[in-house]
Amino acid sequence: MDYIVKFAEGFINLFQTGADTFIDWMTTIVPLVLMLLIAMNTIIQLIGEEKINLIAQKSAKNPFLRYLVLPFLGSFMLANPMVHSLGRFMPEKYKPSYFASAAQFAHTSNGIFPHINPAELFIYLGIAQGIQELGLPMTDLAVRYLLVGLVMNFIGGWVTDFTTSYIEKQQNVKLSKEVKVEG
Amino acid sequence: MAEKAKIVKGSGGFGGPLTIGVDGKRDKLMYVTGGHKPAIVDKICDITGATPVNGFETSVPEEEIMAAVIDCGGTLRCGIYPQKGIPTINIMATGKSGPLRQYITEDIYVSNVDVDQVSAAGTESESTSVKETQAEEKQPEQQATYSKDKKIMETRAEQENKSLLTKIGLAAGKVINTFYQASRDAVETMLHTVIPFMGFVALLIGIIQGSGIGDLFANVMSPLAGNIWGLMAIGFICSLPFLSPLLGPGGVIGQVLGTLIGVEIGKGNIPPNLALPALFAINTQNAADFIPVGLGLAEAETKTIEVGVPSVLYSRFLNGVPRVFVAWLASFGLYK
């Protein structure tokens, strides 16, 4: 009989530990992320989508703007997945590179700006909650995540230019380097 | 051959039943499932006579797609095709979720579908054809000062000579409304996207810590995630071009890995400064499953998608390990 009771206690304990974790998050992480989401959503609405489209059109020529400034601003303003729609202002040749960079900005900026990709927040938050457990500030991690992201995502986009050229040769096709925007 | 296929939801699935069939030019069944071809694709094509197309390798004009088969765990793809009005069949049990959840409705989306959920429906039944989107016609000009279908605010906003007070009032109203709408959207996102995932992750943590598995995990994870070489190995595996599209969907694997590492950091088994390279190591497969859809959003040509998919997979592979290494260099001095 004792054995059964012990087993039942252990069984409930599994869920009790989970429940404690959950309610801890509900009182710490949820309100903070919610406030951030509201503030960011408002800012984005007030600035408007047209401005970022304008920036996108002007960014096509220069790799620095194309793979660093535009995907960073775009992911902030349009969030995931609509940041990828800005790729329509790029020449065909650079669309894969823009995608490669923008998709990574949807994560590296997510530590400070969770509105960018709330559905995949736990890539960051899963690790960051360990930091929080230790009583250390999560922001330090989030800031470095963003900064390393800025550099490495740019390199990622730029490297993709070369892999695209390589695949072009392999498949024997040539993608246009001219911007063509319809509508 | 021109039969229609009836697709019902699997247990725990959402939406449906859908009845799809070839309709004029719409004779392609596109599957975007990270490369492999689910069995239901063959079955649906057998019944309807449609042509299967691997959306991961190539793209088809939207007006030729009869339906799309996806394996999305709940982030983006499950909303993108319904948004375009294309009937969508998800082999995962995802319901209304993700940023495009408002487009996921029962008349255009069905989930947790396996071979048993697909059956021939005969030729005569109504088909869930692609919806035509039409811009609404503009209302005729209002003649009266106030009309019954507009609030006073809206009427005032249309007047040409606004007094200063009206202008201030309108501006304040606009700002407050924007905040309120932003808040509604944010709460919706939290309720439907973030909190469900939190519940799942919390349960996972409970099971890991409450049972003996925790120690087992610690023994496996600490040597792997507890030093830079192990992290680079994780990054290397996740970025392998034939593996990364399979690890991508929904970011679920990355999020679970992150949680496991987070638990070990919390227990002190992994030094906290390694959190930074770990963030990069668990995510070298970032969006590898999403390349064709993302390029589709960028209105890329078919040719570009065919080049772009392998190109991005290769660049992810080339970048993966260096990203982890640079992040490790950048982690010096963190939490010291």
Side-chain angles (χ1 to χ4, degrees):
Chain A
M1 188 63 200
D2 275 0
Y3 186 73
I4 298 176
V5 172
K6 271 263 157 54
F7 179 79
E9 274 177 358
F11 182 73
I12 291 300
N13 186 37
L14 294 186
F15 304 107
Q16 191 56 51
T17 317
D20 293 345
T21 313
F22 184 73
I23 205 66
D24 180 39
W25 287 345
M26 288 298 276
T27 54
T28 54
I29 292 167
V30 168
L32 182 67
V33 171
L34 183 66
M35 292 305 117
L36 270 167
L37 280 180
I38 297 173
M40 295 304 164
N41 283 350
T42 310
I43 293 171
I44 292 165
Q45 280 302 314
L46 291 179
I47 298 177
E49 202 181 318
E50 297 83 16
K51 295 217 173 63
I52 191 79
N53 286 349
L54 207 70
I55 298 174
Q57 282 165 345
K58 291 184 175 152
S59 303
K61 288 269 181 289
N62 175 327
F64 184 74
L65 292 173
R66 204 165 55 210
Y67 307 138
L68 201 157
V69 179
L70 180 64
F72 177 74
L73 289 178
S75 60
F76 180 87
M77 286 296 296
L78 302 182
N80 194 28
M82 289 327 281
V83 57
H84 297 301
S85 70
L86 292 177
R88 69 184 186 274
F89 298 109
M90 303 289 139
E92 291 295 319
K93 160 102 188 183
Y94 301 131
K95 281 180 181 174
S97 314
Y98 173 78
F99 170 83
S101 177
Q104 287 177 327
F105 273 106
H107 281 284
T108 53
S109 304
N110 214 23
I112 301 182
F113 306 116
H115 70 285
I116 293 176
N117 199 356
E120 296 174 15
L121 187 58
F122 265 85
I123 297 247
Y124 165 75
L125 212 50
I127 288 182
Q129 52 96 8
I131 300 291
Q132 195 194 30
E133 195 113 309
L134 293 175
L136 298 167
M138 297 199 299
T139 333
D140 293 36
L141 180 66
V143 169
R144 291 198 192 210
Y145 191 30
L146 180 109
L147 293 178
V148 176
L150 272 177
V151 178
M152 292 313 285
N153 301 348
F154 165 66
I155 295 177
W158 189 57
V159 166
T160 312
D161 277 1
F162 295 103
T163 51
T164 304
S165 302
Y166 173 75
I167 305 282
E168 272 181 330
K169 273 191 211 120
Q170 212 179 37
Q171 296 193 357
N172 224 347
V173 291
K174 202 86 202 133
L175 299 178
S176 155
K177 288 191 183 182
E178 296 296 311
V179 191
K180 190 176 61 183
V181 180
E182 294 144 20
Chain B
M1 280 303 270
E3 272 197 68
K4 294 200 187 303
K6 184 168 184 248
I7 299 149
V8 296
K9 65 180 177 193
S11 70
F14 171 86
L18 301 185
T19 313
I20 54 172
V22 174
D23 177 19
K25 264 179 76 189
R26 296 185 179 280
D27 58 354
K28 306 267 194 320
L29 179 66
M30 184 168 74
Y31 57 102
V32 191
T33 49
H36 77 286
K37 185 175 177 186
I40 60 161
V41 171
D42 288 327
K43 185 157 180 190
I44 296 173
C45 289
D46 278 349
I47 295 171
T48 60
T51 323
V53 177
N54 185 351
F56 199 67
E57 282 169 358
T58 179
S59 84
V60 236
E62 267 163 47
E63 59 274 9
E64 290 178 18
I65 301 174
M66 174 184 79
V69 176
I70 56 172
D71 66 345
C72 179
T75 43
L76 301 172
R77 265 175 296 165
C78 44
I80 277 183
Y81 297 107
Q83 184 189 21
K84 291 175 177 168
I86 296 168
T88 304
I89 301 149
N90 196 344
I91 58 182
M92 305 270 224
T94 313
K96 274 171 112 64
S97 73
L100 300 172
R101 77 182 79 77
Q102 69 265 36
Y103 300 103
I104 300 175
T105 53
E106 283 157 357
D107 54 340
I108 200 152
Y109 177 90
V110 60
S111 74
N112 206 13
V113 175
D114 203 346
V115 181
D116 293 340
Q117 274 80 46
V118 179
S119 58
T123 43
E124 67 279 6
S125 54
E126 279 279 301
S127 116
T128 314
S129 60
V130 177
K131 284 186 204 161
E132 298 294 330
T133 41
Q134 269 183 339
E136 270 183 41
E137 277 186 41
K138 286 214 167 174
Q139 292 282 321
E141 291 287 308
Q142 296 291 336
Q143 308 278 311
T145 323
Y146 297 106
S147 92
K148 65 180 181 213
D149 35 293
K150 273 188 188 155
K151 291 185 204 158
I152 293 178
M153 278 293 275
E154 288 163 349
T155 312
R156 286 269 175 85
E158 284 185 358
Q159 285 168 355
E160 279 179 21
N161 302 320
K162 288 176 212 140
S163 73
L164 181 66
L165 266 178
T166 313
K167 274 186 193 158
I168 293 174
L170 285 173
K174 184 174 174 249
V175 170
I176 287 168
N177 265 328
T178 311
F179 263 107
Y180 185 36
Q181 182 57 42
S183 172
R184 261 186 300 213
D185 291 346
V187 170
E188 177 100 339
T189 309
M190 291 305 285
L191 276 181
H192 287 102
T193 315
V194 180
I195 294 179
F197 205 88
M198 263 183 192
F200 155 62
V201 175
L203 177 63
L204 201 71
I205 290 182
I207 291 174
I208 291 173
Q209 292 191 332
S211 70
I213 315 172
D215 301 327
L216 197 75
F217 263 115
N219 288 337
V220 180
M221 291 306 282
S222 308
L224 200 58
N227 65 73
I228 179 62
W229 307 111
L231 285 173
M232 273 158 67
I234 296 178
F236 178 78
I237 294 168
C238 291
S239 69
L240 288 172
F242 56 89
L243 210 56
S244 52
L246 302 176
L247 296 178
V252 175
I253 291 180
Q255 301 193 72
V256 170
L257 267 178
T259 308
L260 294 178
I261 293 175
V263 168
E264 296 306 320
I265 292 176
K267 285 199 288 193
N269 292 336
I270 295 176
N273 66 312
L274 285 184
L276 186 63
L279 280 172
F280 286 86
I282 58 171
N283 205 19
T284 50
Q285 79 283 11
N286 179 351
D289 62 309
F290 194 67
I291 306 167
V293 190
L295 288 174
L297 283 173
E299 294 166 16
E301 292 166 7
T302 309
K303 225 168 47 173
T304 313
I305 294 180
E306 277 171 21
V307 172
V309 171
S311 170
V312 175
L313 289 181
Y314 290 166
S315 85
R316 283 277 189 274
F317 178 65
L318 291 176
N319 279 312
V321 175
R323 281 169 74 84
V324 182
F325 188 74
V326 170
W328 177 64
L329 293 180
S331 76
F332 290 146
L334 181 65
Y335 301 127
K336 282 285 157 61

